[in-house]
Amino acid sequence: MTESHIIYMDNAATTPVRQEVVDAMIPYMRENFGNPSSLYDIAKINREAVALARSRVARALNAEDKEIYFTSCGTESDNWAIKGTAFANRDKGKHIITSAIEHHAVLYTCQWLEKQGFEVTYLPVDEFGMVNPKDVEAAIRPDTVLITIMFANNEIGTIQPIAEIGKIAREHNVLFHTDAVQAAGHVPIDVKAMNIDMLSISGHKFNGPKGTGVLYIGKRVKLDSLMHGGDQERKRRAGTENVAGIVGIGLALELSVKEMDATTKRLDALRKRLVDGLLTIPKSRLNGHPTKRLPNNVNVIFEYIEGESILLMLNRRGICASTGSACNSASLEPSHVLTACGIPHEVVHGSLRLTLGEMNTQEDVDIVIDAVKDIVQKLRNMSPLTPDELRKY
Amino acid sequence: MTESHIIYMDNAATTPVRQEVVDAMIPYMRENFGNPSSLYDIAKINREAVALARSRVARALNAEDKEIYFTSCGTESDNWAIKGTAFANRDKGKHIITSAIEHHAVLYTCQWLEKQGFEVTYLPVDEFGMVNPKDVEAAIRPDTVLITIMFANNEIGTIQPIAEIGKIAREHNVLFHTDAVQAAGHVPIDVKAMNIDMLSISGHKFNGPKGTGVLYIGKRVKLDSLMHGGDQERKRRAGTENVAGIVGIGLALELSVKEMDATTKRLDALRKRLVDGLLTIPKSRLNGHPTKRLPNNVNVIFEYIEGESILLMLNRRGICASTGSACNSASLEPSHVLTACGIPHEVVHGSLRLTLGEMNTQEDVDIVIDAVKDIVQKLRNMSPLTPDELRKY
Amino acid sequence: MDYSEKVMDHFENPRNQGILENPDGIGVEGNPQCGDIMKIYIKVADNRIADVKFQTFGCGAAIASSSMATEMIMGKTLEEAWDLSNKAVAQALDGLPPQKVHCSVLAEDAIHRAINDYRVKQGLEPWEEKPGHKKHCHESQ
Amino acid sequence: MDYSEKVMDHFENPRNQGILENPDGIGVEGNPQCGDIMKIYIKVADNRIADVKFQTFGCGAAIASSSMATEMIMGKTLEEAWDLSNKAVAQALDGLPPQKVHCSVLAEDAIHRAINDYRVKQGLEPWEEKPGHKKHCHESQ
Ligand SMILES: Cc1ncc(COP(=O)(O)O)c(C=O)c1O
Ligand SMILES: Cc1ncc(COP(=O)(O)O)c(C=O)c1O
C-alpha cells in the first residue's frame, strides 16, 4: 500500500519523521558515530550535536540547557519523573496527586508505587475531561511530594489549566510534573511562567524519531535516577547517548515550535470542518472540551456501534484512525478517559479519534466525513441496539 | 577531520552502524512510520518488522521469540533485570550477588537497591578479572533472589565462566542475569545451554544503532516492569516501539553472529600482533585474562605515565582509544575493574585500552604500535616517576 | 489487530445479517457495556435450522464470528447446531487473535440461547448450557 | 575532554620541561595514586626566578598547567611567583574543564613548595601556605 492512497488521521498515535530531520540524523549513525563521552576529536562532533539539540529543546520550553535530559521515550520520562521524585523524597512524604485521565505511563507508574507503599489520589475530571485546580489544592496533604497532571490529553485533546496548577503547587511547595507528550510542539509551553518542575516529551509525537524523549527537570528538583550506570546526562540518566535520536528530537521540536502558529491556524480550520461534518450524523457527540483542546484532535462518539468495526472499515478505505473501545485494546478495558468524563461504557465503545497532521488536506477531511457517515450507517444497520428510526437500507 | 585519517580502536565504547543496517532502518523513519500497536494496515508493516527483528535476536541467542524484549540500551536492560527481579521477588528475599568488576549500569543499580533495603554481595575477582564460580556458590543464601555476573568485561575483555555460574544458579533455583553487552555479537551465546535467565544487550556495541537494547527474559522469570505504561512488548516494557532502532539491532546482531567465526579469526590475529608489539615496551603488562578474553580487546599498562595524556597524544595522531585512568573519568575514580584485579592505583593510571573492529587493518596495528612506543617514551621523559634507565632523549 | 483474510471477508461481507420476521427462536448474548452483543434469529423446520439471521454490535471478530457461525449452522439439525463449538467457528475463520476468542464464544452461546428459546416455546426442556461461558466481558483473555 | 587550544599547545609543546641541575629549590606536589604529581625545580638570583623546570606525571591539564605556571613565574620576584594563583594559571590557559581545575591548584602548590624549599635552605622562615589546598585527590570537583 503506498502512502499516497492513505489518509493518515492518527497523528496522536505517532507521526512520520520530517524529511529534514531524517537528513539531520543520518550522519550520526555511521559517519559521526563516536561516543560523546570519549576524549578524542571525532567524539567532539557528537558531543556538540547533543549540546545543540539540548539548547534547541531548552529554548522551545523556556528552560535552561542544563535542565534538559534526553530519555528514550515519553514513557521513560513519565516513569522517571514520578518514581524518581517518589524515591528521592521518601523522607518527606509518600503522597502523590494525579488525575483519572492520565496516560497509562503515569497511571500504571502510580499504581506500581502504591504497591511500594506510596499513596496516590486520582482526581476526577468534569464532562469535558478537565481537572479542577481547586480539587488539586484540596488534595494537597502535608506529606504530598508530587502533583502530576498531564498538559493535554491524548484521547480527547483537552488542555488542562497547567499554569493554575503550577501556581498552586509552587505556593504549597510541592513538586509539579506534567506529561506534555501530546502538547509539546503543538501548543505553547513555558516551564518558568507555568511553574512546571518536570515535563515529559516524546519525539515521535511531533514528527521526530521514535525512541526519543526528554525530561525537563527544573533546578530545584531532587530526584533519583531511573537508569543507573554511566556518567551521561550529568550523571542523572545513564546509557550511551542515542546521538542520532537526540539530534532528531531537538530539530523536530525546534521546527514544530517555529511553525506552530501557522500549523495551528491550518489545523484549526480543518478540525472545525471535520467536527461539523461528523456531528451531522444523528446520535453523535464531540468528546473533550469544545475550545480548550489540541488543534489537531477530534474525538466523536456514535451511539449503537463499536469503534474497532469503524476502524476496520475506515482502514479498508485507506483511512487511519483510532478508538477508545475496549475491543481495540489488549486489556479489553474501554477508555478510562472517556469513562472518567462520565460517558457510559456502552457508548464509549462507539468512539472514534481522528488526529490531524502535516499531511492532511481539506479534501482528506471531506473524504473522511463521507466515509464515516457511510460506515456508521452500515454498522448501525447491523447492530441490534439501533432504534428503528435510525436504520436505513 | 575525515574518517580516512582516523584509526578507530575504541570499538568497546561504540561502533559505527553498518551500512546495510542504516539502509534497513531508514524506511521505518518516514515511509513506514506507523505505530505497531495500531489496527490499520500501514501499522502491520511495522508490526511485522518488529516481529522479524525479534526472531533474529531470538535465533542469535537460542531463545524463543517471546523471550526477547526490546529496550532503549544496555543500561536499561541491566536496570530492568536487576530492579525488576528485586522488586518482584521481595517476598522471597532481598539478597543479590554480583561481582566487583561489573559495569556501572549493574553496580550503581545494586547500590541504589541497597538504599531501598536490599543486600548485595560484590564478589572479588582474581588478577585476570575472573570470578570464581565457587565464590558464587558460597555466596548464595536462602534469601538470594538474583545472581548477576557479566558475560565479558568491557575494560579488560575477560570472559566469565557463565555456563558454570548458570548451572550453579539453576541448581540453587536462583535467577541468573548476565550483562552481555560486550559479548553479544562477539562470542557465542546460548541462553538455554548456559542456563541464563536474563541477558542484556546493547545495539551499538556490534555495529547496530545507539539507543537500542534487548533484555532476554526466560519464561520462568517473574519481574516487575521498569517502564510502566502502554501494552507494548507483551505489557512488560511500555513505550511506543522504536521501530527503526529495533529493525537495526535485529539485523546487526544477525549479521554479527553470521560473521562471528571469520571476524574472530581476523581480530585474533590483529590482537596478537598488537599485544606483542606493545609488550616490547619495558615496564608494560597486559591486563585481563591471557586467553579467555574478547577477540577484540587489548588492555595494557605502562608504568610511570598517565592514560589521559596517552589518549591525547594518540588523538593528535588520529588514533582513538580509551583508558582506565581516573583523570579521564568524570567521577575522578580510577577504573574499579583494574583495581579489583589488584593493580595499584598509580599503575592503573597508566592503562590503555585498544578495542579492534571492522575497520582496523594490520597496517593500523603497526601504526598504533609505533605511535604508542613513541608517546610512552615522550611521557616517561616528562614524568618525575620514571627511573633514569628508562629515560631516552 | 491481525485478522485473517477470512475474518475480514466475513466482517466486510457478512452472511445472514439482518432480522428474521416471526422467528422460531431468538438468542441474545453479550452486553453493550462489554462492547459486544449478538442476536441470533432462527427458523426451524424438521428439526433443522431452516433459516438464520444475526444482528451484532461489536468488533470485527464479533461480526465475523456471527457471520461464520450462522453460515455453519444453516441447514443443520438442532443437535448439530448445538454442538457447534466456538473453537470450530474460530478455526473456520482461520483463527482469531487471543484476546478475540471470546467473540466466538459469544456466537456459540447466542446460538444455544436461540435453540433453547425455540425448545422452550415448543414446550420442550431446554438443553443444559456449558458452565463457565456467559461472562465474556473483560475476562476471556 | 574539551580542552582549549592553549591547553593543547602547552600539553604538546611543554615549556620548561625537564630537570634543573643543582636547583636552589624543589617542590613536589600531588601523589601518583591520584594520577598526578608535579615536581618544580627553581634557580633563584636577586630574589627572582632565574630558571625553572618541571616534571609532571599526569593528565593533559596537569602537564599544561605545569608548563603555563613555570612560564608565568619565570623572571618574576619570589613574592610575585608566590602570588601566582591557580585561577591565573587556568585563565592563562583559556580555562580548564571543571573536574580539571585541581591540576592548576597542583601547580600553584608545587611552586609554593619550591619557594619554601629555597627559603628554608636559605635559613629563612617558610611562608605560610594557603589552607585547604594539598588534597587534590578525588575531592576537587
Ligand atoms: C558491559 C557493559 N554493560 C553495560 C553497558 C551500557 O550500555 P549502554 O551505554 O548502551 O546503555 C556497557 C557500555 O557502555 C557495557 O560495556
Ligand atoms: C499523553 C501521553 N503520555 C505518554 C505517552 C507515551 O509516549 P511513548 O509511547 O513515546 O513512550 C503517550 C503516547 O503514547 C501519550 O500520548
Side-chain angles (χ1 to χ4, degrees):
Chain A
M1 201 170 295
T2 59
E3 219 181 290
S4 57
H5 302 120
I6 297 290
I7 298 178
Y8 184 76
M9 286 204 187
D10 200 17
N11 287 278
T14 195
T15 57
V17 184
R18 297 171 70 124
Q19 189 58 51
E20 57 267 60
V21 171
V22 176
D23 295 343
M25 289 171 67
I26 288 175
Y28 294 94
M29 299 184 73
R30 180 161 174 80
E31 198 182 321
N32 306 323
F33 67 90
N35 188 323
S37 302
S38 301
L39 174 147
Y40 34 78
D41 289 348
I42 64 161
K44 200 169 177 176
I45 303 170
N46 302 295
R47 210 151 44 238
E48 286 169 355
V50 170
L52 174 60
R54 201 183 306 281
S55 74
R56 282 177 163 156
V57 174
R59 255 175 294 153
L61 304 173
N62 191 28
E64 294 173 34
D65 288 16
K66 61 171 182 285
E67 295 173 319
I68 301 302
Y69 296 84
F70 291 108
T71 67
S72 71
C73 56
T75 299
E76 183 188 335
S77 298
D78 286 342
N79 274 261
W80 183 14
I82 299 169
K83 291 179 194 168
T85 318
F87 282 110
N89 293 286
R90 244 185 170 160
D91 51 332
K92 279 178 62 186
K94 58 174 167 32
H95 181 235
I96 295 168
I97 298 170
T98 187
S99 85
I101 60 154
E102 299 296 313
H103 189 268
H104 285 137
V106 169
L107 285 184
Y108 290 162
T109 298
C110 288
Q111 287 173 16
W112 183 80
L113 284 173
E114 286 184 281
K115 283 205 271 172
Q116 313 307 322
F118 294 89
E119 289 171 21
V120 182
T121 300
Y122 301 90
L123 296 176
V125 293
D126 68 15
E127 59 176 314
F128 305 118
M130 197 65 93
V131 172
N132 190 334
K134 292 211 182 83
D135 290 346
V136 176
E137 185 151 33
I140 295 176
R141 312 191 316 203
D143 65 342
T144 304
V145 291
L146 178 68
I147 296 166
T148 173
I149 303 283
M150 73 199 312
F151 205 112
N153 184 270
N154 44 306
E155 292 190 38
I156 55 177
T158 302
I159 298 173
Q160 302 297 334
I162 291 302
E164 284 178 69
I165 298 170
K167 191 159 168 285
I168 291 167
R170 192 59 55 102
E171 279 164 10
H172 291 264
N173 199 28
V174 175
L175 291 175
F176 176 39
H177 166 253
T178 185
D179 174 347
V181 167
Q182 290 291 338
H186 298 283
V187 294
I189 296 178
D190 182 330
V191 291
K192 298 277 180 279
M194 293 170 166
N195 284 311
I196 296 167
D197 292 307
M198 288 169 284
L199 178 136
S200 302
I201 293 182
S202 187
H204 69 102
K205 305 290 190 183
F206 44 82
N207 304 102
K210 292 180 177 58
T212 64
V214 161
L215 183 64
Y216 154 80
I217 309 177
K219 272 172 297 182
R220 74 175 187 135
V221 179
K222 183 182 144 195
L223 87 173
D224 279 14
S225 292
L226 183 68
M227 303 280 189
H228 294 93
D231 287 335
Q232 294 90 353
E233 298 294 288
R234 314 178 81 229
K235 305 193 192 182
R236 288 179 112 169
R237 198 284 187 186
T240 302
E241 298 88 341
N242 175 2
V243 180
I246 288 170
V247 165
I249 189 174
L251 180 57
L253 185 61
E254 177 174 273
L255 294 173
S256 294
V257 169
K258 193 184 287 175
E259 300 163 6
M260 193 183 287
D261 286 347
T263 309
T264 301
K265 218 171 137 196
R266 201 176 75 79
L267 295 188
D268 261 343
L270 289 185
R271 176 176 55 118
K272 195 174 173 313
R273 190 179 180 94
L274 183 55
V275 171
D276 289 349
L278 295 177
L279 292 187
T280 62
I281 297 174
K283 291 288 181 184
S284 65
R285 58 165 279 186
L286 179 70
N287 297 311
H289 199 279
T291 58
K292 289 174 187 155
R293 67 189 300 143
L294 292 171
N296 71 345
N297 175 291
V298 173
N299 190 312
V300 281
I301 273 181
F302 306 105
E303 287 186 45
Y304 317 121
I305 59 175
E306 191 277 330
E308 192 208 271
S309 293
I310 307 178
L311 297 196
L312 288 171
M313 290 195 170
L314 284 171
N315 176 53
R316 282 290 153 138
R317 300 177 191 215
I319 299 167
C320 302
S322 166
T323 174
S325 172
C327 295
N328 192 45
S329 87
S331 65
L332 295 174
E333 291 292 339
S335 159
H336 65 285
V337 175
L338 296 176
T339 50
C341 294
I343 301 168
H345 273 211
E346 61 267 32
V347 182
V348 166
H349 290 293
S351 76
L352 174 67
R353 183 185 73 177
L354 296 160
T355 42
L356 301 160
E358 45 150 2
M359 300 183 292
N360 300 135
T361 62
Q362 182 168 317
E363 200 196 336
D364 290 349
V365 166
D366 292 341
I367 292 171
V368 168
I369 294 169
D370 285 346
V372 172
K373 279 184 181 164
D374 194 50
I375 289 166
V376 167
Q377 192 54 54
K378 211 171 159 192
L379 289 171
R380 281 182 173 171
N381 287 347
M382 219 184 278
S383 168
L385 305 176
T386 311
D388 282 343
E389 67 270 21
L390 288 184
R391 293 184 194 277
K392 281 183 218 147
Y393 295 94
Chain B
M1 199 169 295
T2 60
E3 220 182 288
S4 58
H5 302 119
I6 298 289
I7 298 179
Y8 184 75
M9 287 203 187
D10 201 16
N11 287 277
T14 195
T15 56
V17 185
R18 297 170 70 126
Q19 190 56 53
E20 58 267 60
V21 171
V22 176
D23 295 343
M25 289 171 67
I26 289 175
Y28 293 94
M29 301 183 71
R30 180 160 173 80
E31 197 183 322
N32 305 324
F33 66 90
N35 189 324
S37 302
S38 300
L39 175 147
Y40 33 78
D41 289 348
I42 65 161
K44 198 168 177 177
I45 303 170
N46 302 294
R47 210 152 46 237
E48 286 170 355
V50 170
L52 175 60
R54 200 184 307 280
S55 73
R56 282 177 163 154
V57 174
R59 256 176 293 153
L61 305 173
N62 192 27
E64 292 173 33
D65 289 15
K66 61 173 182 284
E67 295 174 320
I68 302 301
Y69 295 84
F70 292 108
T71 68
S72 71
C73 57
T75 298
E76 182 188 335
S77 298
D78 286 341
N79 275 260
W80 182 14
I82 299 170
K83 292 179 194 168
T85 318
F87 282 110
N89 293 285
R90 243 183 172 163
D91 50 332
K92 279 178 64 184
K94 58 172 168 30
H95 181 236
I96 295 168
I97 298 170
T98 187
S99 85
I101 59 154
E102 299 297 312
H103 189 269
H104 284 137
V106 169
L107 285 183
Y108 291 161
T109 298
C110 287
Q111 287 174 16
W112 183 80
L113 284 174
E114 285 184 282
K115 283 204 271 171
Q116 312 308 322
F118 293 89
E119 289 171 21
V120 182
T121 299
Y122 300 90
L123 295 176
V125 293
D126 67 15
E127 59 176 314
F128 305 118
M130 196 67 89
V131 172
N132 189 333
K134 291 211 184 81
D135 290 347
V136 176
E137 185 150 32
I140 295 176
R141 313 189 317 203
D143 65 343
T144 304
V145 291
L146 178 69
I147 296 166
T148 172
I149 304 284
M150 73 199 313
F151 205 112
N153 185 270
N154 45 305
E155 292 191 37
I156 54 177
T158 302
I159 298 173
Q160 303 297 334
I162 291 301
E164 285 177 68
I165 298 169
K167 193 159 166 284
I168 291 167
R170 192 60 56 102
E171 278 164 10
H172 291 264
N173 200 26
V174 175
L175 291 176
F176 175 39
H177 166 252
T178 185
D179 173 348
V181 167
Q182 291 291 338
H186 298 283
V187 293
I189 297 178
D190 182 329
V191 291
K192 297 278 181 278
M194 293 170 167
N195 284 311
I196 296 166
D197 292 308
M198 288 169 284
L199 179 136
S200 301
I201 293 182
S202 186
H204 69 101
K205 305 289 190 184
F206 45 81
N207 305 102
K210 291 180 178 58
T212 63
V214 161
L215 183 62
Y216 154 79
I217 309 177
K219 273 172 298 181
R220 73 177 188 134
V221 179
K222 184 181 143 194
L223 89 173
D224 279 15
S225 292
L226 183 68
M227 304 280 189
H228 294 92
D231 287 336
Q232 295 88 354
E233 298 292 288
R234 314 178 83 228
K235 306 192 193 181
R236 288 179 113 170
R237 199 283 186 186
T240 302
E241 297 89 340
N242 175 2
V243 181
I246 288 170
V247 165
I249 190 174
L251 181 57
L253 185 61
E254 176 174 273
L255 294 173
S256 294
V257 169
K258 193 185 287 175
E259 299 163 6
M260 194 184 286
D261 285 348
T263 309
T264 301
K265 218 172 134 194
R266 201 175 77 79
L267 295 187
D268 261 344
L270 289 184
R271 176 176 54 119
K272 194 175 173 315
R273 190 180 181 94
L274 183 54
V275 170
D276 289 349
L278 295 177
L279 292 187
T280 63
I281 298 175
K283 292 289 182 183
S284 65
R285 58 164 279 184
L286 179 69
N287 297 311
H289 198 279
T291 56
K292 288 173 188 157
R293 67 189 300 143
L294 292 171
N296 71 344
N297 176 291
V298 174
N299 190 311
V300 281
I301 272 182
F302 306 105
E303 288 188 43
Y304 317 122
I305 60 175
E306 191 277 330
E308 192 208 270
S309 293
I310 307 177
L311 297 198
L312 287 171
M313 290 195 170
L314 284 172
N315 176 52
R316 281 292 153 138
R317 299 178 191 214
I319 299 167
C320 302
S322 167
T323 175
S325 172
C327 296
N328 192 46
S329 87
S331 65
L332 295 175
E333 290 292 339
S335 158
H336 66 285
V337 176
L338 296 175
T339 49
C341 295
I343 302 168
H345 273 211
E346 61 267 34
V347 182
V348 166
H349 290 293
S351 76
L352 174 67
R353 182 186 73 176
L354 296 160
T355 41
L356 301 160
E358 46 150 3
M359 300 183 292
N360 300 137
T361 62
Q362 183 170 314
E363 201 195 335
D364 291 348
V365 167
D366 293 340
I367 292 171
V368 168
I369 293 169
D370 285 346
V372 172
K373 278 183 180 165
D374 193 52
I375 288 166
V376 167
Q377 191 55 55
K378 211 170 160 192
L379 289 170
R380 280 181 174 172
N381 286 348
M382 220 184 275
S383 168
L385 304 176
T386 311
D388 282 342
E389 68 270 20
L390 289 185
R391 291 184 194 279
K392 283 184 215 144
Y393 296 94
Chain C
M1 206 51 61
D2 286 318
Y3 285 135
S4 68
E5 274 308 309
K6 269 268 181 58
V7 171
M8 287 312 297
D9 175 34
H10 276 264
F11 168 70
E12 283 168 32
N13 312 295
R15 283 55 143 178
N16 309 311
Q17 187 261 307
I19 299 172
L20 271 189
E21 304 295 333
N22 306 315
D24 296 322
I26 296 180
V28 184
E29 191 50 73
N31 88 55
Q33 298 202 344
C34 300
D36 36 29
I37 183 160
M38 227 176 259
K39 195 167 179 179
I40 301 269
Y41 305 78
I42 52 172
K43 281 243 187 241
V44 180
D46 296 337
N47 194 44
R48 287 187 181 270
I49 307 284
D51 202 359
V52 52
K53 288 221 182 282
F54 79 88
Q55 288 184 307
T56 293
F57 158 84
C59 63
I63 291 171
S65 294
S66 317
S67 166
M68 177 57 85
T70 54
E71 200 171 56
M72 288 173 86
I73 60 169
M74 181 78 84
K76 294 278 155 65
T77 65
L78 290 187
E79 286 77 8
E80 286 166 343
W82 184 273
D83 284 345
L84 179 75
S85 72
N86 79 294
K87 286 203 183 63
V89 175
Q91 233 159 37
L93 287 167
D94 290 345
L96 287 171
Q99 74 271 34
K100 294 296 189 180
V101 170
H102 73 278
C103 298
S104 60
V105 175
L106 208 59
E108 178 186 334
D109 289 354
I111 290 170
H112 288 173
R113 291 271 175 123
I115 292 175
N116 272 343
D117 181 52
Y118 161 79
R119 287 182 60 85
V120 168
K121 279 179 184 155
Q122 300 297 312
L124 298 168
E125 192 153 316
W127 287 333
E128 199 185 336
E129 294 188 31
K130 274 191 218 158
H133 278 196
K134 285 287 152 59
K135 300 203 213 102
H136 316 273
C137 200
H138 311 170
E139 293 188 20
S140 304
Q141 214 190 0
Chain D
M1 205 51 62
D2 286 318
Y3 284 136
S4 69
E5 274 308 308
K6 268 273 182 54
V7 171
M8 286 313 296
D9 176 34
H10 277 264
F11 168 70
E12 283 168 33
N13 313 295
R15 284 54 143 179
N16 310 311
Q17 187 261 308
I19 299 171
L20 270 189
E21 304 295 333
N22 307 317
D24 296 322
I26 296 180
V28 185
E29 191 51 74
N31 88 54
Q33 298 202 343
C34 300
D36 37 27
I37 183 160
M38 226 175 259
K39 194 166 180 180
I40 301 269
Y41 305 78
I42 52 171
K43 281 244 185 239
V44 180
D46 298 335
N47 195 44
R48 285 186 182 271
I49 306 284
D51 202 0
V52 52
K53 287 218 181 287
F54 80 88
Q55 287 184 306
T56 292
F57 158 83
C59 64
I63 290 171
S65 294
S66 318
S67 166
M68 177 56 86
T70 55
E71 200 170 57
M72 289 174 85
I73 62 168
M74 181 77 85
K76 293 279 155 62
T77 66
L78 290 187
E79 287 77 8
E80 287 167 340
W82 184 271
D83 284 344
L84 178 75
S85 71
N86 80 292
K87 285 204 185 60
V89 175
Q91 231 159 40
L93 287 168
D94 290 344
L96 286 171
Q99 74 270 35
K100 295 295 189 179
V101 170
H102 74 277
C103 297
S104 60
V105 175
L106 209 58
E108 178 186 335
D109 289 354
I111 290 170
H112 288 174
R113 291 270 176 123
I115 291 175
N116 271 344
D117 181 52
Y118 162 80
R119 287 182 58 85
V120 169
K121 278 177 184 158
Q122 299 295 314
L124 298 169
E125 193 152 319
W127 286 332
E128 200 185 337
E129 295 188 30
K130 275 189 218 159
H133 277 199
K134 284 292 150 58
K135 298 202 215 104
H136 316 273
C137 200
H138 313 171
E139 294 189 20
S140 304
Q141 213 185 2

